[in-house]
Each structure stands twice: as structure tokens, then as C-alpha cells.
Amino acid sequence: MPGDVLADGEPRAIDMHAHQPAKEFLEDAGGEMMRDAAKKFGAEMEFDTYEGMREEYYAAGVKKVVLVGWDAETNTGNPPVTNDYVAGVRDEFADFIIGFGSVDPLKDDCVEEAERAVNDLGLSGFKFQQIAQGFSPSDPEHEPLWDTIEDLGVPVIFHGGNSTLGAGSPGGRGLRIKYGNPMLIDDVAATHPDLQILIAHPAFPWEREQLAICQQKGNVYMDFSGWLPKYIDDEWLHYAGTLLKDKTMFGTDYPMIGPKKWLDNFREYTDYPEDVQRKLLWENAEAFLDL
Ligand SMILES: [Zn+2]
């Protein structure tokens, strides 16, 4: 049995995927599709302060989180979690929060907003949720956005796989899960070799496509977020600890899944050697984020 690399209680892990435990995300940006998701996760949509969030993370052994913005306004009609909001929280909790912005690729000013988010607000990367935002990354109309982010020199996180947003409602609230297919990201990775891309979540039901892309594209990575390890496909878990052990990162999808709950499940359902645990829980994230 390998040991637990967080057993001494020192916060070291880096969570690559957290949302706001706040009305701005859970109610305003999330709307009805988020309430559907909460039902699916069995999670209570409880708000917390950022002090409370940090305490919960430190107690679980996590030192930093990537907090992501959200702008799916064109497709959903819901207001965004703005880049200014994310930058404001980051400023207040700079030792704990790494801010990733969001731009809505369907808005005319998305390229300018991406530049402003990095150059003026100092955000560290971008997060896209193609299903909520209703776009395909491989659509040529988005090329200027990928060119711009590649030039800005910051990484991007794309959603991977199905989504629980809208789950169970008639028509799934009109969301199209095809946009979560990682093969649409492969096109972006191929034409933007200097763009560092993280495919968030085990990309159910396209895990094998995701594994293939992460193996073949030096600039594409993956994370565990959104899934407790006990529900993740064995093949995916095997690759994460072997062929892709330098390219896989810890993530929760907080507040849907909290850090303690995820890490306890990781301890119970995986048995990666300690050197691999260190890579998965923080070393790979440090390299990806250039910390
Ligand atoms: Zn998420």
C-alpha cells in the first residue's frame, strides 16, 4: 500500500477546477440548468464565503485553487460571472486563488475581452464550457480567439464530455452535449501548438478519445474534476497513473464536489505510488500553471 502524500496535513495540492460558492455562479449564471445539475449531484446549493472556502481547502490539504469565470450569456440568456469579479476575488485571496477568466465566443467583443482579462486584469488563463456556451471549438469562426490566447501565452481549460447542466429536464434545457466531444479540441490543439490546453473532467462517454489526444498532442492535458474516483472508468484511471502520469491533474468542480470528499475518495479507490500521487495532486499543475 502506497502512503498518503498529504498525511502530514501540510496544504500542498492544487485544485484545477473550482467555481464560486456564491449567488453569482450558483443562481445567476447557473439558473435552471444548475438546479438540474444540483439534483443530479445530490449537492445542496449552499453559499459560502471565500474565507470559508479557503479554510475548507486548507483543512483538506489543498493550497491553491483555479477559480473559473463563466460567460454563457448568448446561449443561455443568463448573466456571466465576470472577469472583473474573478479578478476581484483573486486580488483579495491572492495566496489561495488563481483566476481563470471566461469569454463568450459568440459575443462580438470576445477577442478584446480576452486581451483585457490578461493584460488589464492579470487573469492566468481561460475556461470554456462549450455545452453551456453552445459552440464548437473547431469552428473556423473562433480561430481569431485561439490565435489571440496563444499569443497572450496563457493556458485554456475546455470542458470535456457530457454535462449535468440541464440533466433530466425535457430537452436538457436545449443544451447540446456534442460540443463536449474532445475531438473538437484536437483540431484547436493541432493548429495552435503553443497553446496549452487542459481538457477538464474524464470526458464521458469519450474518455478514449481524450486519452488518445492527450497521448498524441504534447500541449493537451486532462484532469479528474467533476467525478469522484469511484465512478471513473478503470482505463482512464490506469492511464492517469501510467502513460499520462505527467499530464493528469487533480480537480474537484467545487462546490459540486468538495476537496475533502474528493481526496477521501481518491485514497479509498486508487493506489497510485507516492511519486505519482505528487504529480497528480500538485506537481503537474505547478508545471502547467508555471508556478
Ligand atoms: Zn465545472
mmCIF file of all heavy atoms in Angstrom, residues 5 17 42 92-93 119 121 124 129 140 158 194 219 237-238:
data_model
loop_
_atom_site.group_PDB
_atom_site.id
_atom_site.type_symbol
_atom_site.label_atom_id
_atom_site.label_comp_id
_atom_site.label_asym_id
_atom_site.label_seq_id
_atom_site.Cartn_x
_atom_site.Cartn_y
_atom_site.Cartn_z
ATOM 1 N N VAL A 5 0.363 11.047 0.519
ATOM 2 C CA VAL A 5 1.313 12.164 0.422
ATOM 3 C C VAL A 5 0.809 13.439 1.114
ATOM 4 O O VAL A 5 1.559 14.395 1.255
ATOM 5 C CB VAL A 5 1.689 12.476 -1.045
ATOM 6 C CG1 VAL A 5 2.415 11.289 -1.663
ATOM 7 C CG2 VAL A 5 0.477 12.879 -1.872
ATOM 8 N N HIS A 17 -9.924 23.100 -10.725
ATOM 9 C CA HIS A 17 -11.279 23.392 -11.209
ATOM 10 C C HIS A 17 -12.245 23.704 -10.071
ATOM 11 O O HIS A 17 -12.793 22.808 -9.437
ATOM 12 C CB HIS A 17 -11.793 22.187 -12.007
ATOM 13 C CG HIS A 17 -12.979 22.473 -12.866
ATOM 14 N ND1 HIS A 17 -12.958 22.345 -14.229
ATOM 15 C CD2 HIS A 17 -14.237 22.869 -12.555
ATOM 16 C CE1 HIS A 17 -14.146 22.646 -14.717
ATOM 17 N NE2 HIS A 17 -14.939 22.977 -13.722
ATOM 18 N N GLY A 42 -26.802 15.490 -6.216
ATOM 19 C CA GLY A 42 -27.261 15.360 -4.843
ATOM 20 C C GLY A 42 -26.638 16.402 -3.925
ATOM 21 O O GLY A 42 -26.554 16.226 -2.721
ATOM 22 N N GLU A 92 -8.158 39.604 -3.515
ATOM 23 C CA GLU A 92 -8.378 39.513 -2.085
ATOM 24 C C GLU A 92 -7.758 38.249 -1.467
ATOM 25 O O GLU A 92 -7.410 38.228 -0.300
ATOM 26 C CB GLU A 92 -9.897 39.501 -1.829
ATOM 27 C CG GLU A 92 -10.312 40.232 -0.576
ATOM 28 C CD GLU A 92 -11.829 40.181 -0.411
ATOM 29 O OE1 GLU A 92 -12.548 40.349 -1.419
ATOM 30 O OE2 GLU A 92 -12.281 39.963 0.719
ATOM 31 N N PHE A 93 -7.660 37.197 -2.281
ATOM 32 C CA PHE A 93 -7.159 35.902 -1.776
ATOM 33 C C PHE A 93 -6.029 35.402 -2.673
ATOM 34 O O PHE A 93 -6.022 34.258 -3.128
ATOM 35 C CB PHE A 93 -8.300 34.880 -1.717
ATOM 36 C CG PHE A 93 -9.390 35.263 -0.766
ATOM 37 C CD1 PHE A 93 -10.468 36.031 -1.198
ATOM 38 C CD2 PHE A 93 -9.321 34.899 0.572
ATOM 39 C CE1 PHE A 93 -11.470 36.405 -0.310
ATOM 40 C CE2 PHE A 93 -10.319 35.275 1.470
ATOM 41 C CZ PHE A 93 -11.393 36.034 1.026
ATOM 42 N N ASN A 119 -4.263 41.278 -19.958
ATOM 43 C CA ASN A 119 -3.385 42.453 -19.899
ATOM 44 C C ASN A 119 -3.779 43.443 -18.806
ATOM 45 O O ASN A 119 -2.916 44.035 -18.170
ATOM 46 C CB ASN A 119 -3.367 43.165 -21.252
ATOM 47 C CG ASN A 119 -2.746 42.299 -22.336
ATOM 48 O OD1 ASN A 119 -1.907 41.436 -22.037
ATOM 49 N ND2 ASN A 119 -3.151 42.491 -23.573
ATOM 50 N N LEU A 121 -6.466 42.792 -16.268
ATOM 51 C CA LEU A 121 -6.901 42.180 -15.010
ATOM 52 C C LEU A 121 -5.900 41.158 -14.475
ATOM 53 O O LEU A 121 -6.021 40.712 -13.331
ATOM 54 C CB LEU A 121 -8.269 41.502 -15.192
ATOM 55 C CG LEU A 121 -9.430 42.411 -15.617
ATOM 56 C CD1 LEU A 121 -10.704 41.591 -15.846
ATOM 57 C CD2 LEU A 121 -9.697 43.497 -14.570
ATOM 58 N N SER A 124 -5.023 34.447 -15.271
ATOM 59 C CA SER A 124 -3.944 33.495 -15.589
ATOM 60 C C SER A 124 -4.282 32.520 -16.710
ATOM 61 O O SER A 124 -3.445 31.692 -17.085
ATOM 62 C CB SER A 124 -3.609 32.679 -14.345
ATOM 63 O OG SER A 124 -3.254 33.538 -13.281
ATOM 64 N N GLN A 129 -16.828 26.420 -21.472
ATOM 65 C CA GLN A 129 -17.798 25.339 -21.247
ATOM 66 C C GLN A 129 -18.639 25.283 -22.514
ATOM 67 O O GLN A 129 -19.655 25.972 -22.642
ATOM 68 C CB GLN A 129 -18.642 25.618 -20.009
ATOM 69 C CG GLN A 129 -19.035 24.392 -19.195
ATOM 70 C CD GLN A 129 -19.949 23.387 -19.934
ATOM 71 O OE1 GLN A 129 -20.246 23.504 -21.114
ATOM 72 N NE2 GLN A 129 -20.394 22.371 -19.218
ATOM 73 N N PRO A 140 -14.224 27.290 -37.594
ATOM 74 C CA PRO A 140 -13.210 28.268 -38.032
ATOM 75 C C PRO A 140 -13.493 29.698 -37.571
ATOM 76 O O PRO A 140 -12.561 30.494 -37.442
ATOM 77 C CB PRO A 140 -13.255 28.188 -39.561
ATOM 78 C CG PRO A 140 -13.932 26.899 -39.884
ATOM 79 C CD PRO A 140 -14.788 26.519 -38.713
ATOM 80 N N PHE A 158 -10.772 23.552 -21.424
ATOM 81 C CA PHE A 158 -12.028 23.250 -22.108
ATOM 82 C C PHE A 158 -12.780 22.204 -21.293
ATOM 83 O O PHE A 158 -12.164 21.299 -20.713
ATOM 84 C CB PHE A 158 -11.778 22.666 -23.500
ATOM 85 C CG PHE A 158 -11.394 23.671 -24.540
ATOM 86 C CD1 PHE A 158 -10.090 23.730 -25.011
ATOM 87 C CD2 PHE A 158 -12.334 24.546 -25.068
ATOM 88 C CE1 PHE A 158 -9.728 24.645 -25.994
ATOM 89 C CE2 PHE A 158 -11.977 25.465 -26.048
ATOM 90 C CZ PHE A 158 -10.664 25.517 -26.513
ATOM 91 N N ASP A 194 1.413 26.083 -29.542
ATOM 92 C CA ASP A 194 1.922 26.788 -28.361
ATOM 93 C C ASP A 194 0.827 27.085 -27.345
ATOM 94 O O ASP A 194 1.089 27.707 -26.309
ATOM 95 C CB ASP A 194 2.608 28.097 -28.775
ATOM 96 C CG ASP A 194 3.870 27.818 -29.582
ATOM 97 O OD1 ASP A 194 4.536 26.796 -29.306
ATOM 98 O OD2 ASP A 194 4.175 28.598 -30.502
ATOM 99 N N ASN A 219 0.675 19.344 -26.146
ATOM 100 C CA ASN A 219 0.102 20.521 -25.487
ATOM 101 C C ASN A 219 -1.286 20.281 -24.908
ATOM 102 O O ASN A 219 -1.989 21.232 -24.591
ATOM 103 C CB ASN A 219 0.056 21.718 -26.454
ATOM 104 C CG ASN A 219 -0.657 21.408 -27.774
ATOM 105 O OD1 ASN A 219 -0.596 20.281 -28.284
ATOM 106 N ND2 ASN A 219 -1.320 22.394 -28.332
ATOM 107 N N LEU A 237 -8.366 5.760 -15.252
ATOM 108 C CA LEU A 237 -7.560 5.804 -14.023
ATOM 109 C C LEU A 237 -6.182 5.167 -14.253
ATOM 110 O O LEU A 237 -5.173 5.659 -13.738
ATOM 111 C CB LEU A 237 -8.277 5.073 -12.886
ATOM 112 C CG LEU A 237 -9.527 5.749 -12.313
ATOM 113 C CD1 LEU A 237 -10.197 4.825 -11.295
ATOM 114 C CD2 LEU A 237 -9.194 7.100 -11.678
ATOM 115 N N HIS A 238 -6.158 4.107 -15.044
ATOM 116 C CA HIS A 238 -4.895 3.431 -15.339
ATOM 117 C C HIS A 238 -3.960 4.342 -16.146
ATOM 118 O O HIS A 238 -2.783 4.511 -15.800
ATOM 119 C CB HIS A 238 -5.166 2.127 -16.094
ATOM 120 C CG HIS A 238 -3.931 1.386 -16.474
ATOM 121 N ND1 HIS A 238 -3.113 0.784 -15.531
ATOM 122 C CD2 HIS A 238 -3.348 1.180 -17.679
ATOM 123 C CE1 HIS A 238 -2.084 0.234 -16.150
ATOM 124 N NE2 HIS A 238 -2.201 0.453 -17.452
#
